[in-house]
Amino acid sequence: MAKPQPATRIRTCRACGKQFEYPIKGSLATRFHCEECVDIPPAIRTIFERLSNRIQKLEHTLKRLEAKPVVPPKPPAPT
């Protein structure tokens, strides 16, 4: 049996990345989009979602590379 969930939850908008509470009575927000992004035409919102996803992946890659230890290059062999 699933454990009970609180009435409202903190969600992250797929288009802009903003955190918002859902559901709020009278709010236009959906499970996936905040109140501001719901009004954006679906074709444009899809582009925003792709860009947001790409930015998140790049940020994750950057953090991973920053945490990786730097190996100094080997000096050239004497000839």
Side-chain angles (χ1 to χ4, degrees), residues 1-78:
M1 180 167 213
K3 66 181 188 178
Q5 298 292 327
T8 60
R9 298 164 88 180
I10 302 297
R11 312 272 313 177
T12 303
C13 180
R14 287 184 178 181
C16 69
K18 177 179 140 185
Q19 292 192 338
F20 63 98
E21 287 186 17
Y22 173 83
I24 301 283
K25 189 173 183 176
S27 173
L28 297 175
T30 65
R31 287 188 304 160
F32 305 116
H33 301 103
C34 65
E35 285 184 337
E36 290 117 24
C37 293
V38 167
D39 294 333
I40 298 173
I44 304 297
R45 196 169 53 223
T46 301
I47 293 169
F48 284 169
E49 289 176 13
R50 287 182 186 163
L51 291 174
S52 177
N53 190 20
R54 181 66 178 145
I55 289 170
Q56 287 176 353
K57 285 181 182 178
L58 289 172
E59 287 175 346
H60 177 71
T61 302
L62 182 61
K63 286 179 185 176
R64 191 182 78 237
L65 290 173
E66 287 176 343
K68 192 175 183 179
V70 178
V71 178
K74 292 182 179 181

